[in-house]
Amino acid sequence: MQATVTAQHSAVSADDDRALAAVFSAYTVSATCWLLFATAVGLLLAFKFGAPDFWAAKYLTFGRLRPIHTNDTFYGWASIGLVGLAYYVAARSCGTKLYSIKLAWIGLALFNLAAIAGTIALELGYNWGDLEYREWPWPIRLVFLAALLVTGWNLIGTVARRTTEDIYLSNWYTVCGVLWTCVIAIVATLPWYQHGLGQVAISGFYMHNAVGMWFTPLALGVFYYAIPKILSRPIYSYALGVFAFWTNLLFYPLLGGHHFLFSPLPWWLQTTAIVFSVAMLVPVWGGSANYLLTMRGRYRDMTHSYPLMFILVAVIGYLFGSTQGTVEAFRSMQAIWHLTNFTVGHSHLTMYGFVTFAVWGGIYALLPLATHKSPGRLGIALHFWMALVGSFIYVIALSIGGTIQGLDWLHQRPFIQSVTDMAPYWVWRGAGGLLMFLSHIVFAWNVWRMTSGQTGNAGSPILARTEGAAA
């Protein structure tokens, strides 16, 4: 079985390359717009903790803005960005053209239609209840499901026309991630068991699998393509990657119950979720070791390759964020951290430190290959360090403050005491969030230079090797 990324383009014409580059660019630009919007809303929410009366008009209340921030981050930024990368990886790793350029554009339109309609509905006060990450009214979520189906069909069609006998590991993750999410979305939409404890159980199933069976496999698929491509070496162990793939599928779907420990959900279901949370250390540590061992001996290259630095941060975010999730699943830890700001820090460690850095690393590594344009060295450096420092401040502040908050509750101190104790950490949250948002503005500038603007001077190591070989 081939452990290297294929580089066959004999069946791909220049027109096919341009069409793929246009699709990749459009998905990236669209995702970037959603990133700016969603995180601007998130920054406003961060400062509302310290000044709750700031912009307190009906349409700017926390209850309306918070689901807009989370849903647009999930389904606008991360989903669209990862699908654009998945299309590029599928076509290039299979040595063929994209199955249908038209379907790719239809999928992009459906993703954006769902995100726009969902944002408007939430802002006007229309929602499907207090179901985390499922606040969009169900007809809007059907539009998102249609986008997933279109994407899945297009990716499967592309992989089916591959020029190699084997299916490269990246496509195992990306194709199956889309198919798994179609199943999850259908289960979470059917109304027959969405009552009482049934609704609680499905909420846990959906909210956790939206991360672990959608964003995680697509991000890991990017790792398996981009890391070997940047380093010009095969992945450390193809077998270990396959093992991590199947164990992730085996253990992850049953984790959701650990969000509802000490609830009326059956005790056995809660315990099962804890056991499988511990078992998730197998694919997480195995996959992380695979990436880090592939980079072994090449860490000095990172000083010349910011795409690799973004991906290294994402791998570390995956390793530590997922391990932290296992620790949080224990009942003794939930007694302190559950419903505190600690869980907000954890969610940003995974969705930002892992998924978002993975998208950035993939875009910086692969978009210049498609467009033959690069960002500037200063721009990519500013983006990396502001995002890294900002997220570090954000996560550490909420982790410490959330622990203090939970201990206040555990010791039965007055609730207002926990609010007072959290106040300085909310200030640090805002400071970290501001740095993160500023880095997104720089990222948008870099995307413009990689797509429509004047190319920058941050040369791509992949392009340099390709051009050197051609010469």
Side-chain angles (χ1 to χ4, degrees):
M1 183 174 288
Q2 293 292 330
T4 58
V5 179
T6 61
Q8 301 175 12
H9 301 289
S10 57
V12 183
S13 68
D15 289 340
D16 295 327
D17 280 342
R18 283 191 292 269
L20 179 61
V23 167
F24 189 10
S25 298
Y27 272 80
T28 300
V29 170
S30 180
T32 303
C33 291
W34 283 112
L35 175 68
L36 290 173
F37 175 76
T39 52
V41 173
L43 184 62
L44 174 59
L45 291 171
F47 285 106
K48 276 182 173 287
F49 281 97
D53 294 330
F54 177 66
W55 277 14
K58 177 173 67 174
Y59 295 109
L60 295 172
T61 57
F62 186 91
R64 296 197 186 197
L65 293 181
R66 198 268 177 178
I68 289 175
H69 167 65
T70 55
N71 282 272
D72 286 347
T73 300
F74 270 46
Y75 308 120
W77 154 243
S79 295
I80 295 176
L82 286 168
V83 169
L85 284 163
Y87 277 141
Y88 185 84
V89 169
R92 284 292 179 260
S93 63
C94 293
T96 186
K97 63 181 181 180
L98 201 61
Y99 174 74
S100 172
I101 294 295
K102 183 178 180 180
L103 282 179
W105 287 106
I106 291 173
L108 179 60
L110 289 172
F111 278 123
N112 279 297
L113 176 61
I116 292 170
T119 300
I120 293 172
L122 292 175
E123 182 64 7
L124 295 178
Y126 297 101
N127 58 66
W128 211 48
D130 54 346
L131 306 173
E132 196 162 23
Y133 313 140
R134 286 192 296 158
E135 292 93 346
W136 287 352
W138 66 267
I140 298 174
R141 286 188 288 115
L142 289 181
V143 176
F144 184 79
L145 175 59
L148 291 174
L149 292 171
V150 167
T151 302
W153 184 264
N154 210 4
L155 288 173
I156 291 172
T158 302
V159 174
R161 299 197 307 191
R162 66 191 181 277
T163 57
T164 59
E165 180 180 354
D166 300 322
I167 298 176
Y168 185 64
L169 194 55
S170 288
N171 297 314
W172 283 55
Y173 279 88
T174 55
V175 171
C176 290
V178 176
L179 296 179
W180 294 336
T181 309
C182 290
V183 174
I184 294 163
I186 292 170
V187 170
T189 301
L190 296 177
W192 306 310
Y193 37 73
Q194 301 280 349
H195 307 285
L197 285 181
Q199 187 182 69
V200 174
I202 295 301
S203 290
F205 170 81
Y206 181 82
M207 74 167 68
H208 217 92
N209 287 315
V211 176
M213 305 300 281
W214 173 229
F215 301 121
T216 296
L218 265 70
L220 299 185
V222 171
F223 288 167
Y224 278 109
Y225 183 85
I227 294 174
K229 195 76 173 175
I230 295 171
L231 295 176
S232 191
R233 60 162 55 168
I235 200 72
Y236 175 76
S237 171
Y238 198 96
L240 185 56
V242 173
F243 177 73
F245 172 87
W246 287 111
T247 50
N248 188 86
L249 174 59
L250 177 64
F251 299 136
Y252 210 106
L254 294 178
L255 300 189
H258 75 215
H259 285 275
F260 297 101
L261 301 186
F262 309 111
S263 76
L265 282 180
W267 196 258
W268 66 264
L269 181 60
Q270 300 178 37
T271 302
T272 300
I274 296 172
V275 171
F276 277 72
S277 298
V278 176
M280 271 302 298
L281 294 177
V282 174
V284 169
W285 288 4
S288 299
N290 211 7
Y291 311 129
L292 295 174
L293 288 170
T294 303
M295 300 179 194
R296 182 178 55 180
R298 299 290 294 275
Y299 292 109
R300 288 185 178 179
D301 292 351
M302 294 178 191
T303 59
H304 306 290
S305 177
Y306 272 101
L308 194 59
M309 291 178 69
F310 275 100
I311 290 176
L312 176 63
V313 171
V315 170
I316 294 173
Y318 173 57
L319 174 61
F320 281 90
S322 299
T323 302
Q324 184 188 66
T326 295
V327 175
E328 283 185 81
F330 291 106
R331 289 189 175 95
S332 57
M333 297 292 97
Q334 287 266 338
I336 299 173
W337 288 330
H338 193 45
L339 301 178
T340 70
N341 280 257
F342 186 96
T343 60
V344 181
H346 167 68
S347 67
H348 282 76
L349 176 58
T350 52
M351 274 303 297
Y352 197 88
F354 163 39
V355 175
T356 294
F357 268 82
V359 177
W360 286 332
I363 288 172
Y364 282 129
L366 304 179
L367 188 58
L369 301 185
T371 63
H372 297 280
K373 292 185 174 184
S374 301
R377 292 195 195 99
L378 179 60
I380 194 171
L382 280 174
H383 176 202
F384 177 80
W385 290 110
M386 285 197 296
L388 181 64
V389 174
S391 60
F392 187 85
I393 293 172
Y394 190 106
V395 172
I396 293 298
L398 290 189
S399 297
I400 296 173
T403 302
I404 294 172
Q405 187 180 28
L407 291 173
D408 284 343
W409 296 349
L410 193 65
H411 295 147
Q412 299 183 348
R413 297 189 178 109
F415 180 79
I416 193 62
Q417 180 65 45
S418 67
V419 176
T420 302
D421 290 342
M422 272 301 303
Y425 299 101
W426 282 329
V427 173
W428 281 109
R429 170 187 180 149
L434 179 59
L435 272 177
M436 293 155 70
F437 179 70
L438 291 175
S439 79
H440 304 164
I441 296 175
V442 177
F443 171 64
W445 168 254
N446 292 338
V447 167
W448 181 77
R449 298 193 75 174
M450 289 186 287
T451 54
S452 303
Q454 184 178 4
T455 186
N457 58 359
S460 166
I462 305 172
L463 275 177
R465 283 198 308 270
T466 304
E467 292 167 354

